[in-house]
Amino acid sequence: MPAVSATRLALRRAATVTAVTAASVLVAAGIASAHVTVHPESYAKGATDGVLTFRVPNEEDTASTTKVQVYLPTDHPVLGVLVTPQDGWTAKVTTTKLKTPVKTDDGTITEAASEITWTGGKIGAGQYQDFDVAFGQLPEDTDQLTFKTLQTYSDGKVVRWIEEAQSGDDEPENPAPTLKLTAAGDEDAESATPATKTSAKATTVAADSSDSTARGLGIAGLIVGALGLAAAAFAVVRTRGARS
């Protein structure tokens, strides 16, 4: 085989290996994040007039998600819950009487949302759905909120996203969506209104999360590319050695 043809063949093979490896990296990254999550990942304690987005991906190849149930904590209640209409979906908000009423500037709250159920819609294979929930106020007396979630498929399978991660342990197999609550002093603009600070926090966290993901994939891509080039160089050297 001519030297030029052999070199081209070696480079083509190396490029193929690189592409396949890169695809594997991206697929693995997708699988790792294919669980129900809440966005943004954190809010300030006591934040008011904000929005939580529950992202529900469909993990089944042969069934669709037809029901989503999100359970809100009542020991540290989320006040003033409202749902955003979703095309094809019907939302039902269940309220529960609180064991410990919450005093606010507008009076004492004795009931709060304990469950939100979405039905009637469909999330197909390879798709996800965002469910937006507005709130009036988040609690001030806890560092995080856990939203246990049940995801029901058209074939009757129910995935229970209810496991809570323990400090120092790896992420559980079916983690519950968790919202971190930060101290009010962590906000950049102390003089801003609660609604403004909440919005800024949400934007910052979303951007940070996106940047982290992009950096991770970028580093993985650079590593894969380097391995591919190294393989190509080795193949060329071996071809020249065989020719001589």
Side-chain angles (χ1 to χ4, degrees):
M1 179 182 294
V4 174
S5 297
T7 300
R8 288 177 178 175
L9 178 60
L11 290 173
R12 190 179 297 115
R13 288 175 177 173
T16 300
V17 171
T18 301
V20 171
T21 305
S24 299
V25 170
L26 294 177
V27 169
I31 292 175
S33 60
H35 50 70
V36 178
T37 52
V38 61
H39 303 273
E41 295 179 353
S42 68
Y43 256 116
K45 293 181 178 180
T48 59
D49 301 327
V51 175
L52 298 175
T53 299
F54 294 91
R55 176 159 296 177
V56 183
N58 190 89
E59 294 184 307
E60 298 294 319
D61 295 329
T62 59
S64 300
T65 296
T66 56
K67 183 178 181 180
V68 176
Q69 297 165 268
V70 174
Y71 294 87
L72 287 71
T74 55
D75 53 345
H76 303 287
V78 178
L79 305 181
V81 167
L82 295 173
V83 295
T84 299
Q86 300 280 359
D87 290 342
W89 294 88
T90 299
K92 177 183 177 182
V93 179
T94 300
T95 59
T96 298
K97 187 174 182 178
L98 301 175
K99 293 182 178 180
T100 304
V102 179
K103 294 182 179 180
T104 69
D105 294 339
D106 297 323
T108 300
I109 306 299
T110 59
E111 292 186 347
S114 58
E115 178 185 348
I116 306 175
T117 301
W118 286 273
T119 56
K122 182 176 70 174
I123 307 174
Q127 299 177 344
Y128 72 89
Q129 178 74 53
D130 282 343
F131 297 95
D132 293 335
V133 177
F135 62 82
Q137 183 174 339
L138 295 178
E140 300 178 346
D141 56 351
T142 185
D143 293 329
Q144 68 177 31
L145 296 175
T146 299
F147 302 95
K148 296 183 179 181
T149 302
L150 302 185
Q151 181 178 9
T152 302
Y153 286 90
S154 56
D155 60 1
K157 179 180 179 181
V158 178
V159 180
R160 301 169 61 83
W161 303 101
I162 62 174
E163 298 175 4
E164 300 183 42
Q166 301 300 321
S167 179
D169 293 344
D170 293 334
E171 183 179 70
E173 182 177 356
N174 294 318
T178 301
L179 177 72
K180 296 179 180 179
L181 297 180
T182 61
D186 291 342
E187 296 293 332
D188 294 331
E190 289 295 335
S191 60
T193 64
T196 302
K197 293 192 290 183
T198 299
S199 177
K201 182 67 174 180
T203 302
T204 301
V205 172
D208 290 346
S209 177
S210 177
D211 290 345
S212 297
T213 301
R215 284 196 295 270
L217 292 177
I219 293 172
L222 290 174
I223 294 174
V224 169
L227 291 175
L229 291 176
F234 177 76
V236 172
V237 172
R238 185 176 64 180
T239 300
R240 290 179 177 175
R243 183 184 60 179
S244 60

